[in-house]
Amino acid sequence: HFEMIKGVGNHAYDDILEIPIIENQRSEAALAPDMERAIKAYPKCNAVLVRRHGVYVWGDSWEQAKTQMESFDYLFEAAVKLHQLGIPSHRSPQEQVISSSCNGKKRNKRRLIEG
């Protein structure tokens, strides 16, 4: 999890951020039904990704929307980089990575922390 998740609004550090993705249409007006369904299905999220187009973000003011967009942009970029490196970006906060050495090689083990 990333601390930056708090910047998107409605989320704490240990929350799971789910962002709906809808298909692009020929016009913005044609996006409205899918956008409405996505907003209703994900009421905690204030963004919708439009495939092969971009992201729509909203807030109570333009300043809030801008701040949230900057946070989403950071999180999207981090997720892409983690994916490129083969590192999962969706590890549970209850899961801990433990580093250990064996025969001079560093190894990572995962352990579920009981809460």
Side-chain angles (χ1 to χ4, degrees):
H1 291 288
F2 290 92
E3 189 74 19
M4 189 63 78
I5 194 173
K6 294 189 291 188
V8 302
N10 302 322
H11 288 80
Y13 166 77
D14 57 349
D15 285 345
I16 294 173
L17 175 61
E18 294 180 301
I19 304 164
I21 302 172
I22 62 174
E23 293 299 325
N24 199 2
Q25 304 292 335
R26 291 185 178 265
S27 69
E28 288 182 350
L31 286 174
D34 290 339
M35 185 77 76
E36 183 178 355
R37 279 191 291 278
I39 291 168
K40 286 180 180 177
Y42 297 87
K44 197 172 175 185
C45 190
N46 48 9
V48 174
L49 277 167
V50 179
R51 196 178 313 277
R52 294 180 307 279
H53 174 76
V55 63
Y56 284 86
V57 177
W58 55 92
D60 293 334
S61 66
W62 71 266
E63 294 96 345
Q64 184 186 40
K66 180 181 182 292
T67 299
Q68 292 171 170
M69 182 61 234
E70 290 168 351
S71 297
F72 277 115
D73 184 59
Y74 174 88
L75 292 167
F76 293 152
E77 185 174 342
V80 168
K81 287 181 180 179
L82 288 170
H83 179 74
Q84 289 171 338
L85 294 170
I87 301 170
S89 61
H90 56 277
R91 190 172 67 235
S92 166
Q94 288 79 27
E95 193 176 345
Q96 178 182 12
V97 176
I98 303 168
S99 295
S100 63
S101 294
C102 182
N103 297 331
K105 294 182 180 179
K106 189 174 182 180
R107 296 182 181 196
N108 290 326
K109 296 179 183 176
R110 293 181 189 206
R111 173 174 61 128
L112 188 62
I113 298 172
E114 307 254 344

